[in-house]
Amino acid sequence: KAGVTQTPRYLIKTRGQQVTLSCSPISGHRSVSWYQQTPGQGLQFLFEYFSETQRNKGNFPGRFSGRQFSNSRSEMNVSTLELGDSALYLCASSLFPGGQKKETQYFGPGTRLLVL
Amino acid sequence: AQSVTQLDSHVSVSEGTPVLLRCNYSSSYSPSLFWYVQHPNKGLQLLLKYTSAATLVKGINGFEAEFKKSETSFHLTKPSAHMSDAAEYFCVVSDQSDYKLSFGAGTTVTVRA
């Protein structure tokens, strides 16, 4: 079974631009979560989608948004990029929402975003 | 809400010697606990998880962890370190309060030849 895939793997943007990242979950998984990883803040939860509905949201500004499609693929968008948005963005999928029914989340390789 | 504290930010061991990574958690409910490993420029890979079955959990690559409720700990061990174990390790907790995963700050493991 193919794992979680994320595209693109690397991105360079400039301040003020917007970016869209994509995540394809493991086949059959309906829950997708997004995380931001930086050296200073570590791994921080962004949001989680299940069956096209956002179920949970972390403490990030409204510039960060996401959506999930009927095939469970998910995208996250960051508008008006800031230097501090430079990070590794990780996507994880599970059968059910993270933590529920003791589900394991499986992570993709991440998208490394550099904002100049 | 739940939280995790990884007690060591960096651990250095010699190849062939034991590895111990310490993790304490806080949770108001019966938690699920996980250890993930991240190699440089890679995503996170699940090593093992505890979900209220056996308190001693065996994972991949010779790792195991013991859930101790009285000490609120979930320490990760491996009897004999290999060079390929050099990576960053994350202890993670979730519970029914909000089902979010809470990550520890990570422990970087270096293995000396």
Side-chain angles (χ1 to χ4, degrees):
Chain A
K1 207 181 242 189
V4 178
T5 58
Q6 293 186 245
T7 56
R9 292 293 312 278
Y10 302 94
L11 264 179
I12 300 176
K13 292 286 187 179
T14 57
R15 278 181 299 173
Q17 288 187 308
Q18 75 163 15
V19 67
T20 300
L21 312 181
S22 179
C23 172
S24 292
I26 291 172
S27 178
H29 284 191
R30 295 162 59 196
S31 178
V32 173
S33 296
W34 288 90
Y35 298 86
Q36 182 196 65
Q37 185 178 26
T38 60
Q41 300 297 319
L43 271 152
Q44 294 184 286
F45 171 77
L46 278 157
F47 28 64
E48 177 179 41
Y49 288 86
F50 179 73
S51 294
E52 301 178 66
T53 301
Q54 187 180 90
R55 287 181 54 88
N56 251 324
K57 192 176 190 314
N59 297 322
F60 278 81
R63 299 186 296 108
F64 292 81
S65 63
R67 58 177 175 168
Q68 186 180 34
F69 302 95
S70 58
N71 62 357
S72 295
R73 189 177 70 85
S74 177
E75 290 181 346
M76 69 162 280
N77 184 276
V78 188
S79 62
T80 320
L81 283 166
E82 301 177 359
L83 296 179
D85 297 332
S86 295
L88 180 67
Y89 290 88
L90 292 164
C91 162
S93 79
S94 59
L95 282 169
F96 296 101
Q100 194 175 95
K101 300 189 180 184
K102 317 286 189 182
E103 279 295 320
T104 296
Q105 291 194 357
Y106 296 89
F107 285 79
T111 294
R112 188 164 296 279
L113 172 65
L114 176 62
V115 181
L116 301 176
Chain B
Q2 68 276 29
S3 66
V4 169
T5 302
Q6 291 184 242
L7 299 171
D8 308 290
S9 59
H10 186 253
V11 167
S12 180
V13 298
S14 296
E15 192 174 21
T17 65
V19 181
L20 169 65
L21 305 184
R22 299 180 294 165
C23 171
N24 286 349
Y25 71 90
S26 171
S27 172
S28 302
Y29 301 87
S30 175
S32 294
L33 292 155
F34 308 81
W35 277 98
Y36 283 88
V37 62
Q38 185 178 33
H39 289 92
N41 299 313
K42 301 282 189 183
L44 276 71
Q45 179 185 20
L46 179 70
L47 281 177
L48 49 82
K49 71 176 183 179
Y50 166 79
T51 57
S52 77
T55 57
L56 184 62
V57 183
K58 293 191 184 299
I60 62 171
N61 301 335
F63 285 95
E64 64 180 37
E66 186 171 9
F67 173 72
K68 291 187 176 180
K69 186 175 181 179
S70 60
E71 298 176 12
T72 60
S73 69
F74 190 57
H75 301 335
L76 180 72
T77 60
K78 182 173 180 177
S80 176
H82 190 271
M83 296 299 288
S84 62
D85 295 327
E88 190 160 19
Y89 293 77
F90 294 93
C91 182
V92 184
V93 64
S94 75
D95 64 30
Q96 304 102 288
S97 61
D98 58 14
Y99 295 121
K100 293 178 187 176
L101 296 187
S102 293
F103 286 80
T107 298
T108 300
V109 172
T110 57
V111 182
R112 304 183 301 272

